[in-house]
Structures are given as structure tokens and as C-alpha cells.
Amino acid sequence: MKHLRTCFAALMIGIVLACSASAFAVQVHKNMLDSRLAEVELNSKLDLKAIQDLGGIVDNFNGTLARVYLLPEDFRELQLRGMTLRWLTEEEIDPYGDFRHPHETLDEYHYNDDIEAMFIGWQASYPTMFSYESIGLSVQGRDLWMAKLSDNVTSDEPEIEVKYISTMHGDEVVGLENCLRFIDTLLTGYGTDPELTELMDDFEIFIMPLMNPDGREVPQRYNADGADLNRTFPDRIVDSVNTPVGHPQEVGLVMNWSATRNCVLSANFHGGEVIANYPWDNNYSGLSIHSPTPEHDLFYHLAYTYASYNSSMLSNHSSPSFINGTTNGADWYVISGGMQDWNYVWMGCKEITMELSYTKSGPLSALDSLWWENETSMRKYLLEAREGVRGFVTDASTGDPVRADIMLDAISYVTYSSALHGDYHRIFRPGTYTLTFSAPGYESQTINSISVVAGTPTILNVQLNRTPAPEIAVSPLSIEEPIPVCDEIEVPITIENNGNVLLTWNGQGTDWSTCDSRETSLAYAWRDISAEGTEINFTDDDQNFGPYSIGFTFPFYGQSFTTYRISANGWLSFTATDAGESSWSNTGLPNGSAPENLIAPWWDDLSPQRTGCVVTRYTSGTDSLIISYENVESYSGGGLYNFQMILLATGEIVFQYGSMGTNRLTSATIGLQNSTGSRGLEIAHDETFIENNMALAIHSVSEFAPASGTIPALGMEVSTVTFNSCCLPEGLYTTSIEISSNDPFNPLVSISVTLDVGGQMDPDPVTDLTALFEDGGVRLNWSESVDATSYEIWRGITPDFDTSSGSMLIEVTETTYLDNSAIGEILFYFVIAKR
């Protein structure tokens, strides 16, 4: 039985941020925990590429010698190739060793616990200027601490955002110590030093002294999983999908945190050389050659600004690529997965890699001089973020802030305005520029001849006009309903278009629920269709036949199908014609390489063309489709399988397994997936699951009808969502359903759903109330409501039921009532069925 329910809820708005790429590559990195540092003699920079292709990680390169981290097997391989190399001793790597003293002052080396203690102290002493947070935990469970410094640190103000990050490599610690000293200098110098005061007043400064706390504890270059954190960020060439998935834990944490901020300038600190390294670090040739970005002049200037206040850096000419204390990263040596390239490509942030000392952790006595060599550079570098163009991007109609892309000429690497305030800060050298401001749902605006002079930022506020667009509104946005066990209820969903352009929408229900005859009352009952069905005569083991008529319309992932195709390899599809490797090579689900619109009771490499194997199809023409595989062998000769799939017009799917033998029962996939391989149901994949004489039922928990549509401007449409509780356990079941649309500001609306399976149902509503005058009163009559035990009689003076303006007269058990208190005016009556 279907039950009609109406629901009401307050409006909620959700925002979804998505990233996409038209093409991508993925790079796999070795675990380097067993690596050691070697010195390699080079004949040319081509040798560097050969080393990196093998998996070696270059630590430094000067002329003909390179220091490279190698695994023992890679060391031997390079020897076999004729290269001259040797392992470096611990004394050669770090002549000063690792000092472990009490870490109570800024004159000592510090570890992660020390940083936390210092942060606690600073926050207590400077509560309006210093705050900190953990952005997440390292592989071994240590916090990654991020500090924030500003004059009003508890507020997120429209100020220039900048950041410093140090010690991605756990054994390179000078930057860690300088970051702690810089924090102390900012706090103690505020109000007395003009530059420090300007930084605190006009900037929001973020500092992470230690990105690799696990590596610091050893100490070692890598994280606890053996990953080099400055080789494992997304990369425009070898790993061009900007997602934290598949990247080291600490890298993913920094990526996620960065996405919440709008930093325009940053630096990361290293050791082992003294140089300011600017992008690109990588190039398409893989060769160590000069590889400038489209904004090379700006990057060189930023690097030179830092180097010019550091005499050791400025005078370093130990490599041919070192010029005025700077180097182009790829010209020195190529790396992929570096953080500075990632910041420029995806975060709109200009970042430089600063190498601060020739030894990675020098003697304690050197800390003071290393700090003073960098103190002025650290402040002057950040002050460069003042230069260029700044302003606010707002909605021309509402004045609301707009998160916009700000593009220089045709350079695809953009900066952004903040979603909170709409402020933007684009760094430029003096000159004349053209900027284009764009945002989804707005008309782009290009402004030419923007003049930038040194020392004074150019103020440019931009108002963007909305493009004509649809505007979706959905009601309700939450559903809470009881539902009988293994039954259905219907809930109407109202979809409105409050915009001035056609709205296109698509409803996506919850995926699937499953149950089998081992755990529920579902019964195994093989349907013998040998007499009435049609045999499919396969002559090859990978054939795909069809299309055949289903005999009725079958709903599947929001689409409706009337035909299907059948594969020799134990699956059905409504559209896929696969007959090659994708036909027989089963995968997990969902999977973009698997056949689309797939229903797979036993997807494996089968051979139904062999003698004695029978595949039969049958449709009732009204409510059921049955496909049976009997005595079907696998391609390898093992297995002798009997299974069938049944599709019902209700959308239910049943798999039945008869005698499945004892061989190759862990090599198949059982499940479903949609047309794109983006959503699916994996019941089993290459694992023990089925038994002989077993039935498996698959139900769609929710389906939209219609599942998609178009709505004209200022129009509306109602779609009914049918919820099915079969295979759901009794009690509360929570899920969500979604409506996607072409509304640029609200492209995905999520509706929360709570079903009380087996819960008490409300009675059906009264729909046939009549009122007649009788004996000076008003006689009300209505039909009995299913499941009702009584009825509340309400009277009001408006046609809209409202308990605040109406009054309840009485609660009765009959289906009639005479109101003798009615007076001579227009009245409205309401009858509410009660359980």
C-alpha cells in the first residue's frame, strides 16, 4: 500500500565547491624510509633526470656533484649504470649532530611539544594579537600547529593574508627556529617598530613552524610513511588533479587548510643550501633548464627582495643557476610535487622556497647569527604583498561580497577575492595591467590600463552584474516520516524557479538497500523459464546481444528504460555494448571503466557458448523480466554456475543462486552502477559471499517521479518521491536525497531524510469534508479515515488552517458532527484525523 504524506520545513541553503580538470596524470612515489644520502658525480644535468626517474630525491646540486637520497637498491642500480657515487657519513651530513636540550627559550632547538607550549604562552600574553589551532594530526598523531598574528586576531578582517611554513623536511630545522623568533619579534615589536606594526595592523599572518612533526622527532627528511612532503603535492604536469586524496596526510591537511584562507604571498623554509628558489620547479621536458612562469619578473623580484637583505644568500654563486641570491627552481634541478608550484597553480598564492643554511641543523651557537641574517628578509618579504592592486568585488545589485577569479591578461593562474568580505590583493610590480574579474552567475568584467606605482597600492573596487539565471527553491528540505515494514510512502517535493531563466533539474534518490534469504523472510524460489523463455545462443565467450524489450518501463538511477542488452559474462546493461576486456575483466563498483547502467548478478569471465550451458530470457510483458544462466562455466574451466536475475516493474531487482558449485566462487562482482560509473552498489567483489539456493533482493530506497524536468521562469513543479522500506531494518533510518540544477549559486540541494521503519503511521487525511445547514446549525460529514481512531473539529475565519487563529471545537469518534454554535458569518471548518 502507498501512503501519501505532506511535509513542511524551513529553507536551508547549501554551497558546494568543486574542482575539475579536463585531463590529469598521477605520480606514484616510493617509500623512502630506508633511503640514505649519497654524493653522486654528474657528467651533465641529464644525469639528474636519470636519478629522479629511478626514484632518487635530489637534496642539493652544485656544478658536478649532487647530494641525493637513494634506496640501497637504487644506489646499486646507479653503480651498474657506471655512475660514480658514495654514501655520505653522518659526520658529513650533519657535523653538529642533533642537540637535545631543554627547550625553554628561543636559544634552543625545539620540537612539536615545545611549539605547543610556546603557543599557549603567547596566546595567554597576547590574546588580541596571537591565536593558534591544530589543522589536524600527522601520521603518528602529532598536531600540525598553525599560528595567526594580527592586531585583532579573533576577527577575520579584509586584510592581506600571508603565510610562512617551515620544516616540511623533518631534519631541516633552522626555518623552524626562525619562525618562532619571528613570531616573538612581531608580538614584542608591535606599537614600537613601524614595519612590524604595519604588518600586524594591515595583515593577517599565518605561521606553521613545523609541518613534519614526525620527521622532526627522528630526525629525518620524510614523514612517518616515508613520503617527501615537498615532492607529493599535486603538480600541473605529473599529478594534475587538485585533491588531497592519495597524498600524504600532512600534505592533505595543508591543502585543506589553505582552501579555507586567501593567502596571496608565502614562503617555505628549508636547509642544505643558502638561496631563494622561485617557480617553476617542474617543466614538461623533465630537464634542468630555466623554466619561468608567466609572471617571472614578479617571482624574481620577490626572491631577490628576500635575498638582498641576507648577505650570505646574496653572495652565493656556488651553482651556475644562482644569480643575486636567487635561482629558478627547475634551472637548479627539477622536482615534481613541490609546494610552491602548487600554491601558484591552485591557490592563487605567490610562494618562494627559501634555503637558509648550508647545514640542516647547525650548532646552537649559530642560531643567533642565522636569525639575524634572515630577520629583515622575513619582514621585507611579507611587506611586498602591499604592492599592486587591491579592492573589493561585490554584487552590483545587493552589495554582497563575491568570490571572484582575478585573471591577469590571459594567464590562467588566478588570484581570488574572499567569499567573506569580497576583498582581493593582487601583487604587481610597477607597470600597466589588464585584469578580468569573473564569478559563476555573473557577467565577467575586464578593466584595461590599470596603473601600478611603487610604494602605493592601486585601489580598484569592482561591481559584478548577475547574468540572467535560474534560482531554485525546494520544499521541504527535511523529511521525517514513519513507514511500515516493507512498504512504501510518497512525499511530494515542490521545486520552484524564482529566477528569470529556464531551470533544469534532476532528482537523485538514495541508492539501494539489500537483503537475502539467509537473514530475512525473503524466499529462494527459482523461476523455471525453460519452456516459455527464449534461449540466447552465444557463440563466443565475450559476446553482448540486444537490445531486447523489457516488456515494461524499468526505473534505474533516475532514468527509465524499455530495452536491455545481455552479456555472456554474467551481466545486463540497458545501454552498454562492451564485448572486450571491460566485458570480462570484473572490477569493484562503481568504476568508470566498467560497463555503464550495469546490473551484475555474477560478473566474471564466463563461457556460456560451451556445450551444456544455457542462457534464457523471458518477459511477462507487464511486470517481470527474467534472465537465467544455467550450467555456465568460467573461461578457465572452473565453476559450473546456475543463477538468474529478475527485474520487476516496481524497480525491485532479485538475484537467485541455485547450484553454484565449489570452484571460483571468489572471482566475481555482484552489484550495480549508473550511467557514468559515479554511483553504484558493490555487494561483493572477488570474495566469498553467495551460497547455494540463495535469493538476494535489491530495492531502491527512494525514487523521484518525475526524476527530472524543466521549469520556466517563476514557475514550479511537484515531483513525488517514493520511499521503500523493504530490506531496511526496523527503527530510524537516515539518509538524504538530492536535486541538482543549473542554478549557478545553488547547484545542489540536499534534503535530509529520516524514516522510522515500523513506526506508527499517521492516519490518512480527511479529503471529502462537506457542510450543510441543519436545525439552525452546521452539519459536518466526512468519510472514515484509514487508521484514525478520532477526529478533531476545528473552526476558523480564514481558509488557511492555523491553530493560532482557529479554535478546536471538539474531538469525536464518529464521522459526523453538528455545530450548533455557528453564528451568521463566513466560517471555515477543518477536520483532522487522529490515531
Side-chain angles (χ1 to χ4, degrees):
M1 179 171 72
K2 292 187 177 180
H3 307 272
L4 183 64
R5 293 286 175 261
T6 57
C7 306
F8 302 89
L11 181 64
M12 298 166 59
I13 295 177
I15 298 176
V16 175
L17 177 64
C19 300
S20 64
S22 58
F24 63 91
V26 176
Q27 186 176 35
V28 178
H29 298 272
K30 292 182 177 181
N31 185 316
M32 300 295 287
L33 285 179
D34 294 330
S35 68
R36 293 173 57 191
L37 196 57
E39 182 182 79
V40 185
E41 295 184 16
L42 306 178
N43 294 317
S44 73
K45 283 188 174 182
L46 290 174
D47 289 341
L48 278 179
K49 185 176 188 304
I51 293 169
Q52 291 174 312
D53 289 346
L54 190 63
I57 294 179
V58 177
D59 180 59
N60 200 345
F61 166 66
N62 288 312
T64 61
L65 292 178
R67 290 159 62 108
V68 183
Y69 286 91
L70 293 170
L71 293 169
E73 58 268 30
D74 296 333
F75 184 93
R76 291 190 295 270
E77 175 62 25
L78 293 177
Q79 284 181 319
L80 292 174
R81 295 184 185 184
M83 287 192 182
T84 301
L85 66 165
R86 66 182 182 90
W87 293 118
L88 292 172
T89 66
E90 290 299 323
E91 179 68 20
E92 289 174 302
I93 295 170
D94 186 357
Y96 304 103
D98 180 44
F99 290 81
R100 289 183 177 268
H101 296 288
H103 314 122
E104 299 174 353
T105 73
L106 290 170
D107 297 322
E108 305 286 350
Y109 281 114
H110 296 85
Y111 294 82
N112 209 51
D113 291 344
D114 307 321
I115 294 170
E116 180 183 11
M118 297 178 76
F119 279 12
I120 292 172
W122 277 322
Q123 187 173 55
S125 300
Y126 304 95
T128 63
M129 296 192 297
F130 182 89
S131 66
Y132 70 98
E133 64 173 329
S134 169
I135 69 168
L137 299 179
S138 68
V139 173
Q140 294 181 337
R142 295 182 175 90
D143 291 286
L144 270 67
W145 297 115
M146 179 69 77
K148 178 184 177 183
L149 295 96
S150 192
D151 63 324
N152 189 11
V153 77
T154 58
S155 297
D156 196 330
E157 298 178 313
E159 297 179 331
I160 306 169
E161 296 187 15
V162 294
K163 71 176 186 291
Y164 281 144
I165 291 180
S166 186
T167 316
M168 305 171 70
H169 298 147
D171 57 348
E172 301 173 11
V173 297
V174 173
L176 183 162
E177 302 307 325
N178 282 355
C179 282
L180 294 176
R181 292 192 180 211
F182 190 57
I183 292 172
D184 188 67
T185 298
L186 286 166
L187 295 173
T188 57
Y190 179 69
T192 58
D193 185 298
E195 284 186 342
L196 297 174
T197 302
E198 180 180 359
L199 283 170
M200 294 290 285
D201 282 344
D202 297 343
F203 289 65
E204 291 189 343
I205 304 168
F206 297 92
I207 299 178
M208 176 180 283
L210 179 54
M211 182 177 163
N212 186 1
D214 296 347
R216 175 70 186 109
E217 289 295 315
V218 177
Q220 66 182 20
R221 179 184 183 92
Y222 309 102
N223 78 345
D225 284 336
D228 188 322
L229 303 186
N230 203 34
R231 302 294 188 276
T232 46
F233 275 83
D235 186 279
R236 66 193 175 99
I237 296 172
V238 299
D239 185 7
S240 58
V241 177
N242 187 37
T243 173
V245 177
H247 293 274
Q249 188 157 319
E250 296 85 353
V251 168
L253 293 173
V254 169
M255 291 176 65
N256 286 333
W257 178 86
S258 298
T260 69
R261 306 307 314 177
N262 199 30
C263 293
V264 296
L265 183 65
S266 63
N268 67 88
F269 296 113
H270 293 257
E273 187 54 84
V274 180
I275 201 72
N277 174 341
Y278 58 86
W280 297 115
D281 270 336
N282 202 2
N283 57 48
Y284 287 95
S285 72
L287 301 177
S288 295
I289 57 176
H290 186 68
S291 305
T293 70
E295 297 180 79
H296 169 74
D297 289 347
L298 174 60
F299 273 111
Y300 170 77
H301 171 76
L302 293 171
Y304 177 72
T305 296
Y306 193 98
S308 65
Y309 292 96
N310 183 318
S311 59
S312 296
M313 191 175 288
L314 188 64
S315 61
N316 184 7
H317 303 289
S318 60
S319 173
S321 66
F322 291 0
I323 301 172
N324 295 327
T326 75
T327 184
N328 173 255
D331 196 14
W332 186 15
Y333 58 87
V334 167
I335 70 167
S336 62
M339 185 164 69
Q340 69 176 14
D341 284 12
W342 173 78
N343 267 288
Y344 181 47
V345 173
W346 281 287
M347 291 294 103
C349 180
K350 309 298 188 297
E351 179 164 294
I352 306 294
T353 300
M354 309 298 184
E355 303 277 353
L356 300 183
S357 63
Y358 295 108
T359 58
K360 298 185 177 185
S361 59
L364 293 176
S365 60
L367 283 180
D368 203 51
S369 61
L370 286 169
W371 160 243
W372 289 113
E373 277 194 334
N374 288 277
E375 189 269 352
T376 303
S377 295
M378 290 182 74
R379 64 165 79 183
K380 295 291 188 180
Y381 178 76
L382 293 185
L383 288 169
E384 286 297 312
R386 301 172 301 182
E387 306 294 314
V389 181
R390 69 172 71 170
F392 292 86
V393 184
T394 56
D395 185 300
S397 298
T398 66
D400 292 336
V402 174
R403 168 80 169 178
D405 296 353
I406 298 112
M407 177 183 289
L408 169 63
D409 297 326
I411 299 171
S412 59
Y413 310 116
V414 301
T415 53
Y416 306 94
S417 57
S418 76
L420 182 61
H421 300 291
D423 61 307
Y424 73 95
H425 309 266
R426 179 95 196 202
I427 306 172
F428 287 123
R429 298 283 292 134
T432 302
Y433 300 93
T434 296
L435 292 178
T436 298
F437 297 79
S438 60
Y442 289 91
E443 297 176 352
S444 296
Q445 188 174 151
T446 298
I447 302 176
N448 300 306
S449 303
I450 304 169
S451 179
V452 174
V453 298
T456 303
T458 298
I459 306 301
L460 179 62
N461 296 321
V462 176
Q463 294 181 322
L464 295 180
N465 293 304
R466 291 200 178 201
T467 57
E471 182 181 338
I472 192 171
V474 175
S475 178
L477 282 167
S478 65
I479 297 171
E480 297 181 8
E481 288 294 328
I483 183 172
V485 174
C486 201
D487 207 340
E488 293 182 343
I489 62 171
E490 294 179 343
V491 177
I493 305 294
T494 301
I495 306 166
E496 298 180 79
N497 179 12
N498 296 324
N500 51 13
V501 173
L502 186 73
L503 175 76
T504 301
W505 67 272
N506 182 74
Q508 179 64 63
T510 309
D511 282 339
W512 308 90
S513 62
T514 64
C515 52
D516 64 58
S517 54
R518 296 172 296 188
E519 57 189 19
T520 66
S521 59
L522 177 68
Y524 166 78
W526 184 272
R527 296 280 298 273
D528 184 1
I529 58 172
S530 58
E532 53 193 342
T534 301
E535 186 173 339
I536 301 174
N537 294 309
F538 290 105
T539 59
D540 184 75
D541 63 333
D542 293 325
Q543 288 175 313
N544 179 313
F545 288 151
Y548 303 117
S549 173
I550 298 175
F552 51 90
T553 299
F554 185 78
F556 191 72
Y557 280 108
Q559 301 185 69
S560 297
F561 296 99
T562 57
T563 63
Y564 68 98
R565 302 185 66 90
I566 192 72
S567 168
N569 291 305
W571 53 266
L572 168 156
S573 172
F574 301 107
T575 54
T577 60
D578 302 51
E581 182 176 352
S582 61
S583 169
W584 58 263
S585 181
N586 65 299
T587 68
L589 297 174
N591 191 308
S593 65
E596 77 267 12
N597 290 316
L598 175 75
I599 298 178
W602 194 256
W603 177 19
D604 200 359
D605 191 5
L606 305 180
S607 294
Q609 81 281 5
R610 293 176 182 171
T611 303
C613 302
V614 179
V615 180
T616 310
R617 61 184 177 89
Y618 165 77
T619 177
S620 68
T622 57
D623 60 8
S624 61
L625 169 71
I626 305 171
I627 311 292
S628 295
Y629 290 72
E630 298 179 80
N631 297 320
V632 174
E633 297 181 18
S634 70
Y635 177 79
S636 65
L640 195 63
Y641 310 120
N642 292 272
F643 60 92
Q644 67 180 189
M645 65 185 107
I646 304 171
L647 276 60
L648 303 177
T650 59
E652 181 182 357
I653 300 168
V654 178
F655 295 159
Q656 299 207 103
Y657 302 91
S659 175
M660 296 293 287
T662 58
N663 296 323
R664 286 182 59 84
L665 295 179
T666 59
S667 62
T669 296
I670 302 172
L672 323 167
Q673 78 169 13
N674 66 357
S675 60
T676 61
S678 59
R679 301 186 69 170
L681 169 68
E682 180 180 288
I683 299 170
H685 175 228
D686 292 348
E687 60 187 289
T688 301
F689 177 75
I690 58 94
E691 296 177 359
N692 290 340
N693 303 324
M694 168 184 152
L696 171 68
I698 305 171
H699 294 269
S700 175
V701 177
S702 56
E703 288 285 346
F704 283 80
S708 60
T710 58
I711 304 174
L714 304 180
M716 66 169 287
E717 182 175 1
V718 175
S719 176
T720 299
V721 179
T722 300
F723 294 97
N724 188 312
S725 64
C726 291
C727 293
L728 295 180
E730 289 193 47
L732 295 181
Y733 173 81
T734 58
T735 184
S736 64
I737 55 179
E738 296 174 341
I739 299 176
S740 59
S741 74
N742 60 334
D743 180 341
F745 296 96
N746 197 13
L748 188 68
V749 177
S750 181
I751 302 171
S752 62
V753 177
T754 301
L755 300 177
D756 185 1
V757 181
Q760 191 176 60
M761 295 292 297
D762 293 332
D764 285 350
V766 173
T767 58
D768 60 350
L769 177 64
T770 61
L772 298 172
F773 289 109
E774 179 182 312
D775 297 333
V778 176
R779 169 67 68 179
L780 304 178
N781 294 290
W782 61 92
S783 298
E784 184 177 356
S785 174
V786 175
D787 296 326
T789 58
S790 63
Y791 303 90
E792 290 182 355
I793 313 299
W794 287 75
R795 187 177 68 194
I797 58 174
T798 66
D800 299 318
F801 178 68
D802 185 349
T803 57
S804 62
S805 61
S807 59
M808 190 180 80
L809 301 178
I810 193 171
E811 184 171 349
V812 300
T813 57
E814 300 82 8
T815 58
T816 184
Y817 173 71
L818 178 63
D819 179 15
N820 288 313
S821 63
I823 57 176
E825 58 182 277
I826 298 177
L827 296 174
F828 298 89
Y829 288 89
F830 309 91
V831 175
I832 301 175
K834 306 289 288 185
R835 181 180 289 276

